[in-house]
Amino acid sequence: MAITDDLRKTLTDPTPLYFLAGTADIAGQQAKKVPALIEKIQAEAPERIEAVRRTDPKAVQEKAATRVKEVQAAVTTRANEFLGALDGDLKKLGENAQDLALRGVGVLAEYAVKAREGYDSVAEHGQEVVKQWRGEAADEIVEIATAVEPKDEAPARGEAPAQDEAASADSGSADKPVAKKAAPRKAAAKKTAAKSAE
């Protein structure tokens, strides 16, 4: 039964959906920054283009050639040093390789923890976004309901919440969702009893 419990938990876990909502919200926030970045690039582009036009191609070639020669000399010396050290101390190289492997495992574990923390933080952000979206939708529904509802039913509805509060206060140690479910049933039963009495 552990497998079915694990599957049930995996399929009912909303965290990936919260992660998706959080990612979408963060992407939306970043997309809002794009127009300002484009304006900045457009403002800087003419200056940079003019600077490129003013540069002498021969000077650029000379700089590139000297840089290539420097890099080639540095690589040659480093390669010679490495090969000299490799010949001299193979045992030390094996220890270094083992040490590097252990460090690599440690770094991977650290990155895994950071990735999990990042995933959790984006999922929490997504959960807040979903709550915000739901709250906005609920506000819109309430506004629509108040606009559609006739004025005569408003006092009758005002009495029902008072009865619900009294029922939930009487239940004492009962959980709130149970009290909320029980209260409307009583109200529905009273309405049907009142209709049958007429």
Side-chain angles (χ1 to χ4, degrees), residues 15 19 23 106-124:
T15 305
F19 177 78
T23 303
V107 168
L108 286 176
E110 184 179 336
Y111 283 138
V113 168
K114 286 182 180 179
R116 181 64 185 181
E117 289 173 355
Y119 176 80
D120 289 342
S121 69
V122 172
E124 287 175 14

Side-chain angles (χ1 to χ4, degrees), residues 26-39:
I26 291 171
Q29 291 173 359
Q30 295 300 321
K32 290 178 184 176
K33 296 178 184 178
V34 170
L37 185 62
I38 290 173
E39 289 176 6

Side-chain angles (χ1 to χ4, degrees), residues 74-121:
V75 167
T76 304
T77 40
R78 294 247 173 121
N80 289 336
E81 290 173 3
F82 178 72
L83 292 175
L86 182 64
D87 291 337
D89 202 7
L90 291 176
K91 183 178 180 183
K92 189 173 182 180
L93 182 64
E95 291 173 1
N96 285 342
Q98 192 175 20
D99 185 46
L100 287 174
L102 290 174
R103 285 184 188 175
V105 169
V107 168
L108 286 176
E110 184 179 336
Y111 283 138
V113 168
K114 286 182 180 179
R116 181 64 185 181
E117 289 173 355
Y119 176 80
D120 289 342
S121 69

Side-chain angles (χ1 to χ4, degrees), residues 127-147:
Q127 189 174 11
E128 293 299 320
V129 168
V130 168
K131 285 180 183 177
Q132 191 177 33
W133 291 342
R134 286 180 179 167
E136 291 173 2
D139 291 343
E140 291 174 5
I141 291 171
V142 169
E143 289 174 7
I144 293 170
T146 55

